[in-house]
């Protein structure tokens, strides 16, 4: 694992997020598992896996254990549902 070295800053406080910035990020991120997403969009987990492995599926995240998660607002926006109130 690479170490990140921060230089040319007076203190790390300059890089720290404030509460408003964190809330803004949290409003945009809602991670769901493959099984949960398949239920939401009425597809099988196998279809999502096939699309992911084929390189044409939805963007996903993999945790340190290899589990796959999708950002629900991004997926909904890609399928044309982009005016959802906060989930």
């Amino acid at each position: 694992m690479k170490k990140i070295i921060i230089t040319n800053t007076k203190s790390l406080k300059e890089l720290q997020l404030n509460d408003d910035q964190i809330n803004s990020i949290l409003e945009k991120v809602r991670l769901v598992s493959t099984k949960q997403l398949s239920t939401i969009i009425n597809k099988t987990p196998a279809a999502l896996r096939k699309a992911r492995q084929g390189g044409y599926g939805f963007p996903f995240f993999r945790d340190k254990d290899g589990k796959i998660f999708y950002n629900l607002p991004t997926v909904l926006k890609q399928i044309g549902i982009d005016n959802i109130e906060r989930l």
Side-chain angles (χ1 to χ4, degrees):
M1 180 174 279
K2 290 184 178 180
K3 290 184 179 180
I4 298 173
I5 300 173
I6 301 169
T7 59
N8 298 331
T9 58
K10 293 179 183 173
S11 77
L12 291 177
K13 284 221 178 237
E14 295 174 13
L15 302 174
Q16 186 175 3
L17 297 175
N18 63 35
D19 290 341
D20 292 335
Q21 291 169 321
I22 291 172
N23 287 333
S24 174
I25 291 170
L26 290 176
E27 289 176 4
K28 298 173 188 169
V29 178
R30 297 284 187 253
L31 297 179
V32 294
S33 68
T34 300
K35 186 175 180 180
Q36 291 169 325
L37 182 62
S38 68
T39 302
I40 292 168
I41 64 173
N42 199 25
K43 298 284 183 187
T44 64
L48 291 172
R49 185 172 43 255
K50 182 178 178 182
R52 185 174 66 243
Q53 291 173 345
Y56 55 89
F58 300 114
F60 64 93
F61 302 94
R62 188 182 307 264
D63 73 1
K64 65 179 182 165
D65 298 324
K67 295 179 183 174
I68 303 295
F69 295 93
Y70 297 89
N71 184 18
L72 185 58
T74 302
V75 171
L76 293 177
K77 187 178 245 184
Q78 284 189 340
I79 61 176
I81 305 172
D82 57 354
N83 58 355
I84 298 272
E85 294 287 325
R86 187 173 180 184
L87 299 173

